[in-house]
Amino acid sequence: MTILDAGCGSGRSAIFLAKQYGCRIVGVDIEPTPLLKAQAEAISKGLSDRVAFRVANVDSLPFQDETFDGAIFQAALIFTDKSKALKMVHQKIRKDVLSE
C-alpha cells in the first residue's frame, strides 16, 4: 500500500505509518528544510526504503493520477485552498480503492 502524506512537514506521521504498518509513504511539503530533517530521520530508523519525501505544493502534485492507495492531511489544509487541494489529492488516489 502506498500512501500520500500531503503537507508532511517534519515527516513524523509518514515515519510512524511506515514503521507501524509497513506501508510505503510519500511525503510532500512546500518547505524543503523540514523534508531534509524528515529524510534523515527515516534513514536513521531504517525506513528509507519505505519513506520518501519531495518538495511539492499540495495544490499541484507532481504525480500521475491514481498513484496512491490513500492519503492523509495532518493540518496541511489550513494553509491551502481546501477545495483545490482535496480535488488534486482525490485525482491521485486509485479509483478502485475509493470504490471499496
Side-chain angles (χ1 to χ4, degrees):
M1 180 172 279
T2 303
I3 305 296
L4 172 66
D5 185 355
C8 67
S10 65
R12 287 187 195 146
S13 295
I15 291 168
F16 172 80
L17 290 171
K19 184 175 182 179
Q20 188 72 21
Y21 300 103
C23 50
R24 182 164 162 27
I25 310 288
V26 178
V28 298
D29 202 283
I30 200 165
E31 295 292 331
T33 302
L35 296 179
L36 294 172
K37 293 176 185 176
Q39 190 64 50
E41 183 71 14
I43 291 168
S44 76
K45 294 193 181 287
L47 297 170
S48 61
D49 61 328
R50 286 186 268 161
V51 182
F53 297 100
R54 291 183 59 180
V55 176
N57 188 325
V58 176
D59 293 345
S60 57
L61 294 168
F63 306 106
Q64 291 182 350
D65 289 354
E66 300 192 37
T67 298
F68 300 97
D69 298 300
I72 62 169
F73 288 90
Q74 190 174 2
L77 286 176
I78 63 173
F79 301 108
T80 189
D81 178 328
K82 291 171 188 59
S83 177
K84 188 174 182 181
L86 289 170
K87 285 177 187 175
M88 174 59 63
V89 170
H90 183 264
Q91 291 175 348
K92 305 308 173 189
I93 305 298
R94 290 187 14 236
K95 301 308 179 248
D96 60 324
V97 173
L98 293 174
S99 63
E100 290 179 0

